[in-house]
Amino acid sequence: MLIGARITGVGAGIPKSVVTNYDLEKLVDTSDEWIRSRTGIITRHIVQENESNAKLAIESAIDAIGYADVNPCDIDLIIVATSTPDNLYPSTACLVQGAIGASNAAAFDLEAACTGIIYALTVGHQFILTGTYKKVLVIGVDVHSRFLDWEDRNTCILFGDGAGALLLEQSPGDNEILSTYLRSDGSRGHLICIPNSNSSFPREGIDQPVAVKRFLKMNGRAIYEFAINAIPDALNEACQKANISVSDIDYLIPHQANQRIIDSVANKLKIESHKLISNVAEVGNTSAASIPLAIWQALKNNQIKTNSICALVGFGGGLTWGASIIKWTATDKRLNPI
Ligand code: UT7
């Protein structure tokens, strides 16, 4: 019998502390009006000193496991997509594994910036399709606030912190992850990057130690142009692989970077506004977390229904981009106990 996979759980980890556009007006030469009109962002959540990448990831994992009503001991694999981990090692995935008591799980991180959750979903899906694993927890988490120059108005207004988790389970005879599609282009990697200050320099005994904190650098306009081409490419390719057309999609859930990008792509592809899922106004760009957080928010707003066909589309640093077409059938077991 065909082995398929379905998403059975979704969870969120969002810091409590809210930073408004008005708060940013006090830090850099910007205005609420500029930020709203250029990005659609109104607020973002930022970690406090006692919070971390792993803490948010753990919170989202516990939420997703509760949603699916799964015993952590039954999870086979945890994949965390992040580009802002607390440590080079241990991985965030291992910290999640230990904290939630997933005593039988393998765990690793992968890095594909804002497309990370699509990469993690694809890898997790493959492990299920081959019959290797039955339950895979995938998490997207980023704390870009720790890697931003809070004096650079080009970048500090865009990002928020957060984590979003999806639980994938084997589903005999029924594959609800209808397709996945991944791409990369390292030749344009310099357009958005965070250099690793420790490994870039100094060379021990050769260079002078330099205590420089390296921040996120971005060519915003170039990334904007990249995004409005990458989203249609990924969406069209993923639809083709799923044997559906773009008009068959009930909901487009793109990476939440900028409302203007979402609207412009929807306009180009003739996708009606009621099919667009967006929470960028409330949480900003949460990078690898943004797609699962948008799903989580949409479910709270009763936007995604059982059997909805959803297109998840990511783009970001690397450069990377990709998409997955899924059928949504999960229900929150805490609300609907069997
Ligand atoms: O996950 C992927 C992450 N990256 C992205 O999603 C970035 C994609 N790009 C964008 O979202 C947009 O390019 C931005 C929102 C970053 C910028 O919007 P834009 O319409 O492309 O503005 P721009 O970069 O062309 O800058 C226009 C002006 C410039 O001033 P001058 O040179 O015309 O005098 C900027 O210096 O706006 C200025 N500016 C700001 N003004 C007030 C840039 N940032 C700000 C700011 N407040 N925060």
Side-chain angles (χ1 to χ4, degrees):
M1 188 200 285
L2 165 99
I3 298 176
R6 57 187 290 254
I7 295 174
T8 58
V10 57
I14 306 174
K16 286 202 176 46
S17 174
V18 176
V19 173
T20 66
N21 293 343
Y22 297 109
D23 295 327
L24 294 175
E25 285 180 359
K26 294 174 197 141
L27 293 181
V28 288
D29 180 14
T30 191
S31 65
D32 173 62
E33 197 282 326
W34 192 96
I35 302 172
R36 273 185 204 234
S37 61
R38 301 284 178 132
T39 71
I41 298 167
I42 301 170
T43 57
R44 70 287 288 143
H45 296 247
I46 299 291
V47 285
Q48 297 294 290
E49 264 175 31
N50 62 348
E51 293 176 305
S52 66
N53 175 296
K55 190 164 184 267
L56 298 180
I58 291 163
E59 219 176 292
S60 71
I62 292 169
D63 194 18
I65 291 167
Y67 191 104
D69 192 23
V70 159
N71 184 333
C73 296
D74 293 335
I75 295 172
D76 302 301
L77 173 65
I78 300 170
I79 309 173
V80 171
T82 187
S83 39
T84 54
D86 301 327
N87 319 290
L88 291 182
Y89 54 84
S91 65
T92 302
C94 281
L95 298 177
V96 171
Q97 181 273 331
I100 66 172
S103 46
N104 296 305
F108 65 87
D109 287 2
L110 67 73
E111 198 276 288
C114 303
T115 322
I117 194 70
I118 304 291
Y119 271 73
L121 180 74
T122 304
V123 174
H125 187 216
Q126 295 302 312
F127 273 111
I128 291 178
L129 291 186
T130 57
T132 310
Y133 293 134
K134 289 190 171 137
K135 291 184 183 4
V136 179
L137 181 63
V138 299
I139 301 173
V141 56
D142 272 307
V143 287
H144 267 97
S145 66
R146 299 252 158 96
F147 297 85
L148 292 174
D149 177 353
W150 288 96
E151 293 178 0
D152 176 11
R153 68 178 183 174
N154 292 295
T155 52
C156 77
I157 54 131
L158 293 174
F159 294 89
D161 301 329
L166 298 171
L167 188 72
L168 311 183
E169 293 193 57
Q170 190 186 76
S171 172
D174 182 25
N175 192 20
E176 295 180 2
I177 296 174
L178 307 178
S179 71
T180 56
Y181 170 76
L182 300 177
R183 290 293 303 274
S184 67
D185 178 7
S187 71
R188 289 186 285 167
H190 58 281
L191 294 177
I192 179 164
C193 57
I194 307 177
N196 182 341
S197 37
N198 286 333
S199 63
S200 297
F201 63 91
R203 293 163 294 171
E204 202 174 335
I206 301 173
D207 299 310
Q208 289 296 315
V210 187
V212 185
K213 179 122 168 87
R214 301 291 202 85
F215 298 117
L216 181 146
K217 294 274 177 236
M218 177 185 74
N219 179 335
R221 183 101 323 246
I223 293 295
Y224 190 100
E225 296 299 327
F226 154 65
I228 58 173
N229 291 309
I231 298 174
D233 171 62
L235 184 62
N236 285 324
E237 293 288 338
C239 282
Q240 204 175 328
K241 286 178 87 176
N243 217 10
I244 64 169
S245 63
V246 171
S247 59
D248 295 325
I249 288 163
D250 295 313
Y251 294 104
L252 173 65
I253 310 171
H255 168 45
Q256 306 286 306
N258 180 328
Q259 191 61 43
R260 269 167 64 215
I261 294 177
I262 297 174
D263 292 341
S264 148
V265 166
N267 195 29
K268 192 166 160 184
L269 296 170
K270 300 190 175 23
I271 298 175
E272 302 97 307
S273 58
H274 69 88
K275 293 185 172 182
L276 297 181
I277 300 295
S278 170
N279 65 348
V280 70
E282 294 87 41
V283 297
N285 180 345
T286 57
S287 193
S290 88
I291 290 173
L293 276 185
I295 295 175
W296 181 83
Q297 187 70 57
L299 289 164
K300 284 207 174 312
N301 298 343
N302 283 322
Q303 268 178 302
I304 299 176
K305 313 273 179 338
T306 301
N307 292 325
S308 292
I309 301 295
C310 303
L312 322 184
V313 187
F315 64 90
L319 300 179
T320 53
W321 66 106
S324 176
I325 309 295
I326 61 163
K327 183 159 85 172
W328 187 269
T329 59
T331 52
D332 191 340
K333 297 286 194 319
R334 293 165 298 197
L335 305 175
N336 311 295
I338 300 159

